[in-house]
Amino acid sequence: MKDTKIVTEALSLYYGEKMALNSVSVEIPENQVTAFIGPSGCGKSTFLRTLNRMNDLIPNVKTSGKVLIDGLDIYDKKVDVVNLRKKIGMVFQKSNPFAKSIFENVAYGPKINGINNKKDLEEIVVTSLQRAAIWNEVKDRLNHSALGLSGGQQQRLCIARTLAVNPEIILMDEPASALDPISTAKIEELIFELKKNFTIVIVTHNMQQAARVSDLTAFFYLGELIEFGKTKKIFTTPDKKQTEDYITGRFG
């Protein structure tokens, strides 16, 4: 078993009075892909956002329990959230490139972090685009607007932008849901490559995708973690009837 990277202990979250997560405890290993599945509104994206404190940006959110990354409680008052988010990259459902050149999109994070040497920036940009499997498609138009790229290319550019600050963990919130099958396949291949160097947590409503890309799968329902284990077992011989019903399409 790989070393544990992320641990949550009795993690609960409320939006005002409404409970979105109920006492979720889970251990996520490093250098593997962990998928969160479950019907819409079951808490899987909310849970993903607790891992880099993105829910802090929403008014009236209350969190209890612990989220430990490498043993450090990220909700401790002493934690620098900006540094935390450098360590934990996020890729959203809808690609969100900046209205800047392809080069500037990828160089943005390193620049904010104080890297201004042109040669260093060029090296980071090239490496990040290569790691995001988009370099060959964009290398001749780095000064063109990122908004001219296709949806699938924009999403890989956003992954390159995430990689440019050298995170340890990459959170992906339905990264291929807006893409066509060919672009989706490219993102899935990329996830498979990236797990060699990163811990990846992905939320997906596409169960075939979860089965294809993940090592471990967590099934959420109504804010609770119903079952968590090796993907193959979850999809073939789940322990809980609710998991089986969801996976076989009886509900959700």
Side-chain angles (χ1 to χ4, degrees):
M1 183 72 176
K2 304 244 182 197
D3 289 345
T4 301
K5 186 74 176 170
I6 305 168
V7 177
T8 68
E9 297 174 358
L11 179 67
S12 295
L13 183 139
Y14 289 81
Y15 294 120
E17 299 299 305
K18 181 180 178 293
M19 185 171 70
L21 293 172
N22 183 14
S23 197
V24 176
S25 297
V26 71
E27 293 188 9
I28 295 173
E30 67 176 4
N31 297 117
Q32 301 226 304
V33 180
T34 300
F36 296 166
I37 61 169
S40 293
C42 68
K44 54 191 188 292
S45 288
T46 298
F47 183 77
L48 190 75
R49 290 196 300 267
T50 63
L51 303 180
N52 68 347
R53 293 187 49 174
M54 286 290 276
N55 293 315
D56 292 17
L57 307 171
I58 301 167
N60 299 328
V61 162
K62 290 199 297 288
T63 308
S64 64
K66 283 185 173 175
V67 178
L68 306 168
I69 292 181
D70 294 329
L72 176 78
D73 185 356
I74 65 167
Y75 283 84
D76 188 295
K77 290 192 171 45
K78 295 193 284 287
V79 166
D80 178 331
V81 178
V82 174
N83 278 337
L84 175 76
R85 294 202 187 120
K86 261 191 266 183
K87 189 174 173 175
I88 307 168
M90 181 116 187
V91 177
F92 297 92
Q93 180 172 359
K94 188 172 180 331
S95 57
N96 54 347
F98 306 134
K100 297 171 181 277
S101 70
I102 292 166
F103 184 94
E104 287 300 328
N105 263 272
V106 184
Y108 182 82
K111 279 184 174 176
I112 282 185
N113 295 330
I115 298 172
N116 289 307
N117 179 301
K118 189 163 179 277
K119 194 164 179 299
D120 291 347
L121 282 172
E122 282 173 0
E123 202 170 286
I124 291 169
V125 169
V126 172
T127 306
S128 303
L129 290 168
Q130 285 170 337
R131 289 177 105 172
I134 189 175
W135 170 249
N136 288 339
E137 294 161 56
V138 301
K139 63 177 189 275
D140 299 325
R141 46 180 176 148
L142 295 179
N143 296 322
H144 294 201
S145 169
L147 303 179
L149 296 172
S150 71
Q153 288 173 326
Q154 286 188 6
Q155 192 61 298
R156 278 180 288 142
L157 177 69
C158 291
I159 293 171
R161 193 173 68 194
T162 300
L163 298 177
V165 295
N166 213 11
E168 294 173 24
I169 297 166
I170 302 174
L171 308 177
M172 297 185 162
D173 195 355
E174 304 203 12
S177 66
L179 304 180
D180 61 85
I182 291 170
S183 300
T184 298
K186 284 187 175 164
I187 297 282
E188 289 180 6
E189 279 166 35
L190 180 54
I191 290 169
F192 199 73
E193 273 303 302
L194 291 174
K195 77 170 179 183
K196 293 172 189 165
N197 298 299
F198 305 93
T199 301
I200 297 177
V201 186
I202 177 171
V203 164
T204 177
H205 65 264
N206 179 330
M207 280 190 286
Q208 290 78 18
Q209 183 172 71
R212 284 191 300 263
V213 304
S214 69
D215 302 287
L216 297 155
T217 296
F219 170 57
F220 283 82
Y221 186 61
L222 298 178
E224 297 195 4
L225 177 63
I226 305 296
E227 190 167 350
F228 178 62
K230 285 202 159 64
T231 296
K232 193 167 181 196
K233 180 172 187 331
I234 296 282
F235 277 89
T236 52
T237 53
D239 292 333
K240 302 274 171 68
K241 185 169 187 322
Q242 269 173 307
T243 313
E244 188 182 352
D245 286 351
Y246 181 70
I247 281 166
T248 53
R250 288 195 199 107
F251 81 89

